Amino acid sequence: MKYGLFLLDDAAVGTGERRHVRRPSKAAETSAPWRQYARRSLGTPFPASTPVTTKALDDQGERYRELAQKARLRLAALSADRSQTARATACQAYARPIQRELEETRVFLSKLCIDKPKASKNSTDADKSIADTLTTVERMRCKFKEEQEQKQQAKEAAAKQAEQAKQAKQPPEPAQAPIAPTPATLTPKPAQTASALTPSTLTPAPSTSAPAAQASATATKYRDMYTKLMAELAPKIRGDPAKRSYCFKQRGLVTRGVGQLKDSWEFISRTADNIKAILRDAGTKGDDVLEWMLNLVAKAIVKQAEREVAVAHHAAYPLASTAVLVMQTHPRLADMLMVRLVKKCPFAVPEYVAKRSGQSTDEYLKRAGYKRNDDDELESEGIYSERMAGMLALFAAIVQTPDIGGQPNPFPVHHGWTWLARMLNQKPRAISPMLVQTFLSVAGSTMLTAYARQMDKLLGVLGSAWLAAVPTSSPLAVAGKSNLTTFIEEYQQTGSLRRCKSG
């Protein structure tokens, strides 16, 4: 039905027809239940309604409340049981590895020749027994350590005596005739550059000293320079807070620039200009600051060669060009570079370091350029040879760098000839073929252009007599000899020396 003036009676429901029906009386409207929900005028109050309450309904509500309370109690008990179970499981999981470790410790102690602590209810006796056991264990450990040290000392003493006996019985080696022209006879005249050299300017002359002695003297010279640098200049810089802080800050700039160097002339020239600006500013702080900064620049360049060039020899070229540009303004950098090279790589002279009488093994290995890792373990022969080749590649790249900007290279190509001649006039070692090939792959083309016929003769001696004398007692020597033989055979077939690849 519809509330309003028109109502639908039962006869009109199916047809949808409207019929006028008389409204119910006012009393009927008031008493009808639907009247409570009919439309009202604004402000008309709702008719009062009386809640229906009976005793049956009250009893039913009370029963529902009791059931709900019982349900809450059961859930609370169940939740408490679960929480207790979870805590117990967690405690067992935490205690299980501790129990296992305790059991392993008991098994270990049972294997030692130590009287087990006697079970005692008195805690003082138990603590004393445990303390006695720990004291016995510590005593055994100290005794074991002393025995090991004594064995090591006895072993070193026996090895030293055997070496001294071997040296006493061994006759002195006869003087070896040089198998290649000595460096002193083939050094270009100071007034000439590498590009102007001709075979007529390289006429051999009698040598006055053995190449090994010359190499040793050169190495000693640079080592003495390093010792003087650390003994005299380093305390001055470190003792002055202002100078120390300044040098530390500038060293960071140099290291960052050298580490970000790329094989691009823009990068090379910008890095060299930045380093020269740093050195120019250091000169205003005093000669000692300039000298120390030259040492730090050389150290950064050599360290970069030791890390990056060791795995990619072509990376030596931009590094060498940067060094030459700086040396044109600061020639003293050449000596600093050699000081740092000889300190880490004596083959830059080249010198084969020999163990001196009374010199410890650690001192000898340090002098030869070996390093130890964080676990105090000596590096392998392969890693050592790679580092040496990387620093030698820097030396070779510097000597082969041509004149830049109309200014000569302060460390020109004749230093490379000196190195190669000294190397070939000494008895080769296991590392020698790898070093020679590294040098020739970096600087060989420039030296072949500068020395032509003399270089061709020297390579002939290298491929015959010198390679035949290379020892084959180690895998490094065998691999190096094979690679260098292939390298020389390619030169004999093509007439050119293969340069190290850039990728």
Side-chain angles (χ1 to χ4, degrees):
M1 97 185 62
K2 183 176 180 182
Y3 308 118
L5 294 177
F6 294 94
L7 299 177
L8 294 178
D9 58 2
D10 295 338
V13 170
T15 61
E17 180 182 356
R18 284 185 175 183
R19 294 181 182 181
H20 184 75
V21 181
R22 190 181 62 176
R23 294 176 61 88
S25 63
K26 188 173 183 180
E29 289 182 356
T30 306
S31 61
W34 59 266
R35 186 70 183 90
Q36 297 181 10
Y37 306 100
R39 292 183 178 179
R40 290 175 176 80
S41 301
L42 186 64
T44 303
F46 281 97
S49 60
T50 304
V52 180
T53 59
T54 62
K55 187 176 184 305
L57 292 177
D58 293 341
D59 295 341
Q60 188 177 5
E62 186 66 26
R63 187 167 59 255
Y64 286 157
R65 282 192 292 271
E66 291 176 358
L67 292 175
Q69 181 64 20
K70 291 179 181 180
R72 282 196 295 270
L73 293 176
R74 284 199 302 270
L75 289 176
L78 182 61
S79 177
D81 292 341
R82 289 181 179 178
S83 299
Q84 187 67 21
T85 304
R87 281 194 293 270
T89 304
C91 291
Q92 290 176 0
Y94 178 78
R96 192 174 294 113
I98 300 176
Q99 292 174 350
R100 185 164 48 250
E101 185 177 355
L102 180 61
E103 185 63 27
E104 292 175 355
T105 305
R106 288 176 179 173
V107 172
F108 173 76
L109 290 175
S110 66
K111 296 180 181 179
L112 297 176
C113 297
I114 303 174
D115 295 334
K116 297 181 182 179
K118 297 180 180 179
S120 176
K121 296 182 180 180
N122 191 344
S123 60
T124 305
D125 296 341
D127 293 342
K128 184 176 182 301
S129 181
I130 293 174
D132 293 342
T133 302
L134 294 177
T135 303
T136 306
V137 172
E138 180 65 18
R139 191 183 306 114
M140 293 175 63
R141 188 189 69 80
C142 295
K143 183 178 179 181
F144 176 78
K145 185 176 180 181
E146 292 177 358
E147 291 177 353
Q148 292 298 320
E149 291 178 353
Q150 292 175 0
K151 290 181 181 179
Q152 184 66 21
Q153 292 175 359
K155 187 176 180 181
E156 291 179 357
K160 187 175 181 180
Q161 292 177 359
E163 184 177 357
Q164 292 176 353
K166 184 178 179 181
Q167 291 178 356
K169 294 180 180 180
Q170 186 177 4
E173 295 184 0
Q176 182 182 6
I179 61 176
T182 55
T185 64
L186 298 172
T187 302
K189 295 180 181 180
Q192 295 175 328
T193 62
S195 58
L197 292 174
T198 60
S200 60
T201 63
L202 302 173
T203 305
S207 177
T208 58
S209 61
Q214 293 177 350
S216 179
T218 305
T220 302
K221 165 192 167 184
Y222 289 120
R223 288 194 183 100
D224 291 344
M225 290 175 62
Y226 177 78
T227 302
K228 183 178 180 181
L229 187 72
M230 293 295 108
E232 298 180 3
L233 186 58
K236 293 181 181 179
I237 300 299
R238 294 167 182 167
D240 190 329
K243 292 181 179 179
R244 182 178 67 249
S245 176
Y246 173 82
C247 293
F248 179 80
K249 179 181 178 181
Q250 301 300 87
R251 182 186 67 177
L253 299 177
V254 171
T255 303
R256 189 180 306 113
V258 172
Q260 297 174 353
L261 194 60
K262 296 182 180 179
D263 193 4
S264 166
W265 177 248
E266 179 183 358
F267 275 91
I268 293 172
S269 59
R270 182 167 67 244
T271 303
D273 290 341
N274 292 339
I275 294 176
K276 286 190 284 187
I278 290 173
L279 294 176
R280 183 166 55 252
D281 184 67
T284 62
K285 308 294 183 181
D287 293 340
D288 54 347
V289 176
L290 175 60
E291 186 80 358
W292 188 251
M293 284 306 305
L294 286 170
N295 163 62
L296 295 181
V297 170
K299 182 179 181 180
I301 293 175
V302 173
K303 194 171 185 179
Q304 182 72 6
E306 184 182 10
R307 291 180 176 178
E308 302 295 333
V309 182
V311 296
H313 291 172
H314 66 274
Y317 292 119
L319 200 59
S321 299
T322 303
V324 170
L325 283 172
V326 178
M327 281 192 289
Q328 289 177 344
T329 306
H330 301 275
R332 177 66 173 164
L333 180 61
D335 286 337
M336 288 297 181
L337 280 171
M338 288 305 299
V339 167
R340 286 292 175 177
L341 278 173
V342 171
K343 177 180 179 291
K344 290 193 171 186
C345 176
F347 302 110
V349 185
E351 179 195 32
Y352 296 109
V353 178
K355 188 175 181 181
R356 299 178 179 178
S357 179
Q359 187 180 32
S360 65
T361 302
D362 287 342
E363 292 177 353
Y364 160 71
L365 293 174
K366 184 177 180 180
R367 190 181 183 90
Y370 278 92
K371 296 177 68 175
R372 293 184 178 273
N373 56 22
D374 295 337
D375 297 330
D376 200 30
E377 296 177 352
L378 196 67
E379 64 182 343
S380 64
E381 188 179 32
I383 296 177
Y384 170 75
S385 59
E386 285 181 359
R387 289 196 305 107
M388 297 299 109
M391 288 180 279
L392 182 62
L394 171 65
F395 172 85
I398 290 176
V399 300
Q400 67 86 44
T401 302
D403 300 344
I404 302 177
Q407 298 185 42
N409 181 355
F411 205 80
V413 71
H414 71 78
H415 291 281
W417 181 268
T418 300
W419 184 92
L420 191 56
R422 284 179 179 175
M423 176 63 78
L424 298 186
N425 275 287
Q426 297 185 68
K427 184 179 179 181
R429 271 68 164 181
I431 197 175
S432 301
M434 181 182 183
L435 297 176
V436 171
Q437 183 178 354
T438 299
F439 180 87
L440 291 177
S441 66
V442 175
S445 298
T446 301
M447 294 188 62
L448 194 59
T449 302
Y451 294 101
R453 291 178 59 187
Q454 279 79 4
M455 186 65 180
D456 182 71
K457 292 179 181 179
L458 190 143
L459 291 174
V461 173
L462 171 63
S464 57
W466 191 83
L467 267 177
V470 173
T472 56
S473 56
S474 68
L476 176 66
V478 174
K481 184 176 181 179
S482 176
N483 294 335
L484 183 56
T485 301
T486 304
F487 186 84
I488 296 299
E489 289 176 352
E490 289 181 3
Y491 163 73
Q492 293 172 350
Q493 294 172 3
T494 62
S496 61
L497 291 171
R498 172 166 41 93
R499 291 173 66 92
C500 58
K501 297 181 180 180
S502 59

